[in-house]
Amino acid sequence: MKAIIKTIPLQMFWPTFDPFLFCAFHNDAYPAGNGKLGPNASLSGRQIGQDFSQKDGWSMYHGSEVPGFPAHPHRGFETVTVVNKGYVDHADSMGAAGRYGEGDTQWMTAGKGVQHSEMMPLVHTQKSNPLELFQIWLNLPSYNKMVEPHFSMLWKEDTPIATLRDENDKGIKIKVVAGSLNVDGSALQSLPCPPNSWANDKENHVAIWIIDLEVEASWTLPASVRDLSRTLYVFEGEQVQAEDSTVPVNVALQVKSDAPLAIKNTGSESVRILLLQGKPINENVEQHGPFVMNTRQELQQAFFDYQQTQFGGWRWPSSDQTHGETPRRFALYADGREETP
């Protein structure tokens, strides 16, 4: 049985399928910082506040001095932010905050409503500040859309990685952000996800993996159960061979979940692939900007509630809150507990 359903070219916002709503890949070659966490470079020629230009290889996004996304609301889904390079400064209306990156993941359940900011501090002043991250939106089923918000950090030191060799001694690494991977007859299990997440029920088979293949490395994605959404995003390298197809970088493969898929890196560079998989929620989706509900009436209620309550208000000095000039990673939770990796 052929596994590949179709191939899809990648734009900035990648195609996603139920239970996933959205996936953005940010790959910014930021210059050295200016000592105030912004770029030590001219901002002329950029539409500040709405800069997605990738001028000189980077964007300011909605930031005016520090790149990133100042305070904005969400309701009805989860954000999973996987940072491969660089740092993100988080602050939210629950009172939680943190600086994470260089392999960390932040998982936030918006639930009934939360504001958060996600800034990209350029902490290094004597060298460049490359940033590479995925932001993935995972839907919540109707019975969990109005749960209490939840913020958690999955530190890189605790995130399981399978390190494998193929029959020709070529290296494969698989980082298991969510889900379970069978390695030599035993399950490599991800860190716990938030309690009300669709991913929290193992019967939903949610998986978020990052797959690294050395040049000429071969690996077979194992079959799972039928009727899952399963997509592979080839985001770095040159090309892979998948079944009888040569797949270049910046292409997504939508594949059958109950069929194995043989993959080989046939390019001259290492290849990196993101896997998103999960059982579809199969509910109607009504979305307007940062709110994802099941009906138009629920969307209208979300806007009304935000206007009335600001989802708890903003308790930080700035809408583009940052956390100092040192690259220290930490998480401050809403109950006042502080954690470092």
Side-chain angles (χ1 to χ4, degrees), residues 229-240:
S229 163
R230 183 182 249 194
T231 310
L232 294 162
Y233 304 86
V234 185
F235 69 91
E236 191 174 296
E238 285 184 355
Q239 64 183 35
V240 296

Side-chain angles (χ1 to χ4, degrees), residues 121-301:
L122 308 187
V123 296
H124 302 298
T125 58
Q126 301 301 312
K127 62 179 183 178
S128 60
N129 290 271
L131 178 90
E132 183 184 281
L133 68 81
F134 308 107
Q135 181 160 103
I136 301 157
W137 291 12
L138 176 62
N139 202 6
L140 287 167
S142 55
Y143 55 80
N144 275 344
K145 284 201 176 287
M146 296 296 286
V147 296
E148 291 295 323
H150 186 279
F151 160 84
S152 60
M153 202 75 80
L154 311 181
W155 301 113
K156 69 175 179 181
E157 290 84 355
D158 303 322
T159 301
I161 297 177
T163 303
L164 313 172
R165 311 299 295 186
D166 70 9
E167 60 184 9
N168 295 311
D169 203 35
K170 302 298 183 180
I172 302 110
K173 287 198 307 182
I174 305 160
K175 180 175 180 175
V176 183
V177 177
S180 177
L181 171 66
N182 190 293
V183 179
D184 297 329
S186 59
L188 189 68
Q189 183 64 48
S190 69
L191 294 169
C193 62
N196 294 301
S197 176
W198 186 246
N200 195 46
D201 185 343
K202 293 182 180 180
E203 294 300 311
N204 294 331
H205 299 280
V206 172
I208 302 173
W209 300 346
I210 300 175
I211 303 156
D212 288 71
L213 301 176
E214 285 184 359
V215 174
E216 298 184 348
S218 299
W219 180 69
T220 298
L221 173 67
S224 185
V225 301
R226 292 183 59 186
D227 300 325
L228 304 179
S229 163
R230 183 182 249 194
T231 310
L232 294 162
Y233 304 86
V234 185
F235 69 91
E236 191 174 296
E238 285 184 355
Q239 64 183 35
V240 296
Q241 186 78 17
E243 291 184 333
D244 55 0
S245 300
T246 297
V247 180
V249 71
N250 296 323
V251 164
L253 294 174
Q254 188 181 13
V255 300
K256 295 177 181 176
S257 59
D258 58 341
L261 177 67
I263 305 167
K264 182 175 182 179
N265 179 0
T266 54
S268 60
E269 301 176 7
S270 295
V271 160
R272 308 195 77 203
I273 300 169
L274 173 70
L275 167 80
L276 297 183
Q277 172 189 285
K279 179 181 177 181
I281 294 173
N282 286 326
E283 293 180 349
N284 187 57
V285 172
E286 293 287 346
Q287 178 178 354
H288 191 100
F291 305 142
V292 181
M293 304 303 290
N294 296 106
T295 68
R296 298 298 299 176
Q297 183 178 4
E298 289 170 342
L299 271 185
Q300 292 168 358
Q301 186 66 47

